[in-house]
Amino acid sequence: MSRVAVVTGGIGGLGTAMCRDLTKQGRRVVSTYRKVNEEKAHEWQEERRREGFDIAIYEADVADYESCREMIGKVEKDIGPVDILVNNAGITRDRTMKKMTLEDWDAVINVDLTGAFNMTKQVFPGMLERQWGRIVNISSINGQKGQFGQANYSAAKAGLHGFTKALAREGARKGVLVNTISPGYIATQMVMAVPEEIRNKIMEEIPVGHFGVPEDISRTVVFLTDDAAGYITGANFSINGGHHMF
Ligand code: CAA
């Protein structure tokens, strides 16, 4: 039986590559989508089918604990227990601190950080019981180095790695391995929404001289969630073209 992998925000820029690559690896992949994206999610699923990927989609708002609980309940009933979770869903509300509102702060913390708790909480006990699990938290270069105009996002993404390290300790003796990936600037809609002038300046700071592609990240998700990756936990993988080295 294929292991079941849930990717939050799987219909987005990075998530789509993760869903494809995990399916190629032989996982039974489930992507979450938000209610507002219902139509888009079904179109996305159709497109993946045309490419030869059968990916299940389930509605959930990662910022809403009950919604996550209900969604994982349905997945377990329809497909089976979740062995692999990729906490990938994330949003930005970039503003300088002077302009940032409490709403901008809460929105980003609730999705990018609390969302990982809300999802992990549903699957972690089962992974411990079955003595096998893989969790990958998608953080960001900007959680490592901080970014002008991203106090909310940088805080949430830095928080994710603390979350990873604590869970890695809790899961280690039970075969549940938890890691962080910190992508740099990958050419997705989220990055392309940064004004061009600022984006060009950011590009100049990247030693390899270009933005990454989603597959740069999804290949590492596959590697970390492989059955053979049994000795990597609590680690943070920087995939940023040399943009931030430490
Ligand atoms: N460093 C220092 N100063 C900067 C700066 C920087 N990086 N960027 C802007 N400034 C300065 C401007 O020169 C200007 O200075 P003056 O006031 O002296 O003229 C001032 O800051 C502008 O301040 P404002 O409050 O008016 O800012 P703004 O509204 O013009 O823009 C912003 C603020 C929207 C945050 C804009 O700077 C921006 O979009 N920055 C990019 C943020 C970013 O990298 N987001 C990543 C999104 S993708 C992602 O997050 C994925 C991932 O994980 C990598």
Side-chain angles (χ1 to χ4, degrees):
M1 263 256 296
S2 305
R3 293 194 187 279
V4 177
V6 172
V7 179
T8 65
I11 71 168
L14 296 182
T16 300
M18 292 175 195
C19 289
R20 284 198 193 104
D21 282 353
L22 285 165
T23 306
K24 278 190 213 157
Q25 193 194 14
R27 308 311 194 188
R28 176 68 178 115
V29 178
V30 174
S31 169
T32 70
Y33 66 91
R34 282 180 309 139
K35 191 98 195 133
V36 289
N37 288 330
E38 179 99 46
E39 209 181 306
K40 181 181 161 202
H42 283 94
E43 284 166 14
W44 177 93
Q45 187 180 38
E46 241 344 280
E47 269 176 58
R48 301 291 80 73
R49 276 205 188 113
R50 282 197 292 271
E51 293 172 357
F53 299 103
D54 177 22
I55 298 162
I57 54 171
Y58 282 75
E59 190 262 315
D61 176 356
V62 298
D64 177 340
Y65 185 87
E66 269 313 300
S67 159
C68 295
R69 200 180 62 78
E70 275 173 32
M71 189 270 292
I72 292 294
K74 282 185 204 153
V75 169
E76 285 177 341
K77 189 164 154 281
D78 298 347
I79 305 176
V82 177
D83 299 309
I84 296 163
L85 171 65
V86 186
N87 284 311
N88 163 67
I91 59 166
T92 52
R93 293 275 186 283
D94 295 356
R95 311 243 188 294
T96 54
M97 192 63 183
K98 260 191 326 197
K99 295 180 183 166
M100 189 174 288
T101 62
L102 178 60
E103 208 188 348
D104 295 326
W105 173 266
D106 284 343
V108 170
I109 298 292
N110 289 344
V111 173
D112 296 12
L113 182 57
T114 309
F117 169 82
N118 290 341
M119 285 297 298
T120 304
K121 180 75 184 155
Q122 316 308 328
V123 300
F124 197 64
M127 289 178 178
L128 294 177
E129 235 166 72
R130 295 187 303 278
Q131 310 246 317
W132 201 93
R134 299 280 189 268
I135 297 176
V136 180
N137 294 316
I138 305 300
S139 176
S140 164
I141 182 177
N142 293 339
Q144 300 173 304
K145 73 170 191 52
Q147 171 64 330
F148 188 100
Q150 286 199 309
N152 48 4
Y153 187 82
S154 298
K157 295 297 189 179
L160 269 183
H161 189 53
F163 181 63
T164 287
K165 290 188 284 186
L167 284 186
R169 290 189 187 276
E170 291 185 23
R173 299 247 168 136
K174 307 272 182 180
V176 182
L177 308 182
V178 189
N179 291 289
T180 302
I181 296 176
S182 292
Y185 282 74
I186 311 297
T188 60
Q189 245 179 22
M190 185 186 267
V191 164
M192 298 321 266
V194 173
E196 195 180 356
E197 200 192 328
I198 296 177
R199 231 172 45 224
N200 289 340
K201 279 199 195 129
I202 292 171
M203 181 110 70
E204 285 169 17
E205 297 167 5
I206 305 175
V208 302
H210 58 83
F211 293 148
V213 293
E215 288 71 21
D216 290 324
I217 307 306
S218 58
R219 276 193 287 266
T220 306
V221 170
V222 165
F223 170 71
L224 289 173
T225 56
D226 199 276
D227 288 59
Y231 204 60
I232 308 173
T233 197
N236 190 355
F237 288 75
S238 296
I239 306 176
N240 61 33
H243 194 168
H244 182 60
M245 305 179 194
F246 56 99

